[in-house]
Amino acid sequence: MRKIVIGAAAVATLIAAWFAPDQDGGVVGPAAATTREADPAPATPAAPVAAPVAIAATSVSTAGADGIDLQIHPRVADDEMGNVFAKQSWAPEAPKKVMQEQAQQVAQQASAPSGPPALPFQFLGRFTDEGKTAYFLQIDGQNVVARPGEKVNDSYLLDSVSGNTMNFVYLPLNQKQTLVVGDTN
């Protein structure tokens, strides 16, 4: 079986070579014998080949055979070419000073706190025992007991309670916040 495949491939190659088109699109046939006349000997000896000439630092302008003006420039050092893969854009560049000022303003706004976050507490109730009142709060699903002057949740201090309002101090910014609790039974 292998010999048949190799033989078929060889025959296909010979047929393809026989009928292959030439450069003009015609089919190439067998070579025909032709005769050539001998060229007369050249009357002058061949001109010597000139050594390569170094190009000066300025550009050279030459006119081509078709009348096209060719500009030849000297090679530029790699460090003078810059970054050839840099981002290209048709839009004009914004002045760097303005961009730096805008970046500083954004950084200042981001670093300056806008105020304390909303109170994370939910009031559940109060309990009074021997004249001291304890307040029950819920923080993130966790029940907490707080009294005036105690720290709550490491970020808040229960400053005071008056009537139906609880006054908290947000410790990182030292700002006061109020929670209205209403009447309880």
Side-chain angles (χ1 to χ4, degrees), residues 23-69:
Q23 291 178 357
D24 297 330
V27 177
V28 177
T34 58
T35 58
R36 262 188 354 184
E37 297 180 18
D39 291 333
T44 59
V49 177
V53 178
I55 298 176
T58 61
S59 64
V60 177
S61 177
T62 60
D66 298 333
I68 299 174
D69 190 25

Side-chain angles (χ1 to χ4, degrees), residues 6 16 19 24 29 33 45 53 59 71 94-95 104 132-133 152 165 167 180 184:
I6 293 173
F19 292 106
D24 297 330
V53 178
S59 64
Q71 297 287 327
Q104 287 175 352
K132 294 186 180 182
T133 305
V152 181
T165 60
N167 299 314
V180 179
T184 59

